[in-house]
Amino acid sequence: MPGVHRANTGVTGNEFIGKEVEYFSQAGFDMDKIHIKRNAPVASLYEDAIINEGAVISSNGALINFSGKKTGRSPKDKRIVYEETSKDHIWWSGGVNIAMDEHTFEINRERAIDYLNTRENVYVFDGFAGWDPKYRIKVRVIASRAYHALFMHNMLIRPTAEELENYGEPDFIIYNAGQFPANRFTTGMTSTTSVEVNFKRMEMVILGTEYAGEMKKGVFSVMHYLQPIKFGQLSLHSSCNQAMPEADGKEGDVTLFFGLSGTGKTTLSADPQRLLIGDDEHVWSDTGVFNIEGGCYAKTINLSAEKEPEIFNAIRYGSILENVVYNPADRVPDYDDVAITENTRCAYPIEYIPNAKIPCIAERQPSNIIMLCCDAFGVLPPVSKLTPEQANYHFLAGYTSKTPGTEDGITEPSPVFSTCYGAPFLTLHPTHYSKMLEERMTKHQVDCWLINTGWTGGKFGTGKRCPLKYTRAIIDAIHNGTLAKAEFQNFPVFNLSIPKHLEGVPDELLNPAAAWSDSEAFKDQVGKLAGMFGTAMQKYSSDMTPATKAAGPQVPQ
Ligand SMILES: Nc1ncnc2c1ncn2[C@@H]1O[C@H](COP(=O)(O)OP(=O)(O)O)[C@@H](O)[C@H]1O
Ligand SMILES: C=C(OP(=O)(O)O)C(=O)O
Ligand SMILES: [Mn+2]
């Protein structure tokens, strides 16, 4: 019955949506049967997730949820509808955007709505993507799980009461019926999972995966389309932080950190000395940098209060812990336990980080770009200074490793060339982004650094990543200017400039040639990696200027 007081949650159903009732009826929702809870309070989402979905409250107050079988993204099941408005824009040849026909999308969309109509409660969250009012879009999430609504409550920008009252029609809608599978006999389906975006309808449909990260990365794919095409702005898979305001009140210097999942965007942007703009998705606009999201999505594997205090302390009431094992006796999360997945996560509103700058906008052009990579071979130096041409080359190359668990089927760190450090989310050809990046970097004379947060050679390379404290010391040295003043030497083959000494970082760590005890094995591995770059970059051969090409590693003869 509609509008009936529900004793278990203390909230009524459809009254939440007010004047939107008609909208939902027209969209195919059975308003006599379902309760729509729009932008429901966090407490009520907690209650529903606990009662209906097996969630529990952890000792720190965060809600622990489980995403079921899928605990990472499913890139092989992510498709984009081939239709006249977007077909000439989408990057179809890169193996990232799989085409789907409009009819199949309609079938899956109907399937999602039919499933949602079988539910007692349907959760709607209306929010925004993009902090700059000039470039933001309204995103509506319609989901069968309270967990998914709370996740997007944390990850999107939360509207004020007034903005919600005057919300109107959304620009983009996500139908998340991830609890229900796709039909494998529907033409074009290759599994029971389907994640699909339709740019003509400005809609996304999710079937057969309850991994919440699909939604936030879906919104990112949409921004990666709209920002360059519609607004002429540059969307980037990056985190961003900013120095405290200067004495005269001028905005502090801005740093962008590019990097694929697991390379350290979230960890390294949470810096007690600096203001956090955001941890994952930004737009470099004509006036500065703004965050796309209203929250952060941190990896919690091996999380400790000592090493990552800001993130550790953001895990509290309102945050969502995803697939994290806990001790039933005291409900204390065990961040070292990877029994469910290595891709354990926490989603929290950005204001849970003490130094977050709200609104999440830096009104100053970036001074530094840090390209984070995670080299599984242990040959790339922990830091090198890139020339503008090298910056261009490495942005297109996007060399790093995939982190276990982030994508379905990845079980160990695997080397990858992930264009623009985020190939899975690119909707346009990479050169759209790389050209804009080059223009902006030249115009604003941005310094660029390549940082390897991955494996390091020799005595540091005993199966361990570059210790976090050294990476932090390197980043501090970028921010306080000491690194720029250091004495540099050449790292051959890759032709990189690397510092000889840096306060707080052992010299042998700075130079992998010194770190490796077996110099022949080292040279061999450097050569192999250079060869991999050459092979991977062949497909961009006609997109690179001779100077950019020459900036890549030169394979030893
Ligand atoms: N040197 C390092 N720099 C950054 N992160 C590191 C380093 N060594 C280990 N880590 C771990 O790697 C993970 C980085 O993940 P995260 O910051 O969430 O990456 P991203 O935001 O780019 O996906 C964290 O679990 C962090 O503790
Ligand atoms: C959430 C993801 O990435 P990141 O770790 O960069 O936030 C992802 O790749 O699914
Ligand atoms: Mn992250």
Side-chain angles (χ1 to χ4, degrees):
M1 264 191 295
V4 167
H5 181 79
R6 287 173 41 74
N8 63 347
T9 62
V11 293
T12 44
N14 292 334
E15 72 188 27
F16 272 119
I17 59 173
K19 62 189 177 199
E20 312 282 327
V21 171
E22 201 182 323
Y23 167 95
F24 284 99
S25 299
Q26 270 172 14
F29 288 94
D30 187 345
M31 300 305 285
D32 292 331
K33 241 171 89 196
I34 59 168
H35 290 95
I36 289 190
K37 298 187 175 181
R38 180 183 184 226
N39 292 48
V42 170
S44 131
L45 295 173
Y46 260 57
E47 287 162 357
D48 284 13
I50 291 164
I51 293 164
N52 303 319
E53 302 169 19
V56 298
I57 302 178
S58 80
S59 56
N60 54 30
L63 188 70
I64 304 184
N65 293 263
F66 303 94
S67 68
K69 211 168 116 215
K70 299 279 175 163
T71 53
R73 280 182 296 104
S74 304
K76 292 192 187 77
D77 299 302
K78 187 183 165 202
R79 297 181 178 83
I80 292 191
V81 176
Y82 187 90
E83 40 77 21
E84 67 278 7
T85 72
S86 67
K87 70 178 169 53
D88 296 333
H89 297 300
I90 304 293
W91 183 37
W92 297 112
S93 61
V96 171
N97 299 308
I98 307 165
M100 156 184 260
D101 66 69
E102 288 187 272
H103 186 63
T104 306
F105 180 86
E106 294 300 333
I107 291 173
N108 286 346
R109 179 183 186 274
E110 186 95 334
R111 192 172 171 91
I113 293 176
D114 283 346
Y115 174 71
L116 290 163
N117 274 329
T118 67
R119 313 294 296 174
E120 196 178 343
N121 295 315
V122 171
Y123 301 91
V124 171
F125 182 74
D126 284 341
F128 299 100
W131 277 90
D132 188 328
K134 291 198 296 295
Y135 305 125
R136 79 180 179 190
I137 62 165
K138 293 185 272 182
V139 177
R140 168 167 290 167
V141 180
I142 308 178
S144 59
R145 289 188 67 176
Y147 149 41
H148 290 150
L150 182 55
F151 178 85
M152 289 308 269
H153 165 106
N154 288 352
M155 296 309 299
L156 287 173
I157 299 164
R158 292 159 288 287
T160 61
E162 199 190 339
E163 283 170 333
L164 194 57
E165 176 67 22
N166 303 315
Y167 194 76
E169 300 257 319
D171 299 310
F172 187 76
I173 304 171
I174 299 175
Y175 296 93
N176 189 340
Q179 286 173 288
F180 198 63
N183 186 332
R184 287 174 299 135
F185 295 97
T186 302
T187 314
M189 293 296 97
T190 47
S191 77
T192 53
T193 300
S194 186
V195 177
E196 51 208 61
V197 175
N198 184 329
F199 283 107
K200 191 159 111 191
R201 295 193 68 123
M202 286 301 278
E203 290 179 342
M204 179 182 194
V205 168
I206 300 177
L207 291 166
T209 171
E210 296 166 67
Y211 177 61
E214 296 285 6
M215 291 185 284
K216 73 155 248 155
K217 287 300 201 222
V219 171
F220 186 41
S221 301
V222 172
M223 291 301 253
H224 249 344
Y225 181 82
L226 293 179
Q227 290 299 328
I229 286 187
K230 188 172 168 192
F231 300 119
Q233 307 303 327
L234 174 59
S235 40
L236 293 161
H237 190 216
S238 75
S239 60
C240 179
N241 67 18
Q242 183 174 26
M244 302 294 170
E246 292 173 5
D248 57 4
K250 194 174 152 230
E251 297 239 331
D253 64 83
V254 175
T255 297
L256 286 168
F257 302 77
F258 301 174
L260 195 67
S261 181
T263 53
K265 295 183 301 301
T266 304
T267 301
L268 300 168
S269 58
D271 180 336
Q273 319 273 349
R274 295 172 67 86
L275 303 171
L276 179 66
I277 304 296
D279 82 320
D280 196 51
E281 307 171 3
H282 288 82
V283 175
W284 184 350
S285 80
D286 31 24
T287 53
V289 179
F290 66 88
N291 190 352
I292 290 176
E293 303 180 289
C296 303
Y297 193 33
K299 288 184 173 285
T300 56
I301 181 171
N302 302 136
L303 183 70
S304 74
E306 296 71 40
K307 284 193 194 151
E308 299 180 59
E310 292 80 16
I311 294 172
F312 190 89
N313 292 322
I315 306 180
R316 50 181 134 110
Y317 176 74
S319 306
I320 292 189
L321 281 170
E322 215 173 64
N323 300 317
V324 172
V325 174
Y326 62 94
N327 179 351
D330 54 14
R331 300 279 181 89
V332 175
D334 182 350
Y335 299 121
D336 299 328
D337 194 326
V338 293
I340 301 176
T341 174
E342 286 193 50
N343 189 31
T344 53
R345 294 272 184 165
C346 184
Y348 47 85
I350 189 155
E351 58 270 22
Y352 284 17
I353 295 289
N355 283 350
K357 187 185 183 197
I358 315 278
C360 303
I361 307 176
E363 286 176 273
R364 180 171 161 172
Q365 295 293 337
S367 300
N368 287 291
I369 284 180
I370 295 177
M371 296 184 177
L372 300 171
C373 81
C374 184
D375 175 22
F377 298 118
V379 297
L380 287 187
V383 62
S384 20
K385 184 163 190 345
L386 301 186
T387 64
E389 293 75 24
Q390 285 176 330
N392 215 318
Y393 179 93
H394 284 278
F395 184 62
L396 268 183
Y399 169 68
T400 186
S401 302
K402 283 189 183 175
T403 312
T406 310
E407 287 182 4
D408 205 25
I410 303 291
T411 53
E412 52 188 76
S414 9
V416 63
F417 288 85
S418 190
T419 308
C420 308
Y421 295 106
F425 324 114
L426 298 183
T427 35
L428 311 177
H429 190 276
T431 49
H432 268 93
Y433 312 99
S434 65
K435 287 210 175 98
M436 287 176 88
L437 181 72
E438 191 183 1
E439 270 165 33
R440 281 165 153 76
M441 285 184 69
T442 312
K443 184 169 172 201
H444 303 292
Q445 305 210 332
V446 184
D447 284 336
C448 185
W449 311 88
L450 180 67
I451 289 193
N452 172 17
T453 64
W455 280 260
T456 43
K459 71 174 181 185
F460 302 99
T462 48
K464 283 213 190 100
R465 286 179 65 172
C466 179
L468 186 52
K469 65 174 177 190
Y470 296 140
T471 304
R472 287 205 205 274
I474 289 166
I475 289 173
D476 289 346
I478 291 173
H479 287 142
N480 65 27
T482 51
L483 184 53
K485 289 194 207 106
E487 190 186 340
F488 285 83
Q489 61 184 331
N490 186 266
F491 181 74
V493 181
F494 282 78
N495 195 24
L496 299 168
S497 288
I498 60 172
K500 282 188 174 164
H501 313 284
L502 202 59
E503 175 96 18
V505 185
D507 285 354
E508 9 12 344
L509 182 78
L510 290 171
N511 184 3
W516 281 56
S517 45
D518 183 340
S519 66
E520 281 312 306
F522 172 68
K523 277 192 191 141
D524 189 50
Q525 196 55 63
V526 171
K528 275 191 190 146
L529 183 58
M532 286 170 69
F533 269 82
T535 309
M537 293 299 274
Q538 261 164 21
K539 59 176 179 285
Y540 300 123
S541 186
S542 60
D543 299 314
M544 291 188 283
T545 63
T548 304
K549 258 186 223 173
Q554 306 301 315
V555 185
Q557 299 303 315

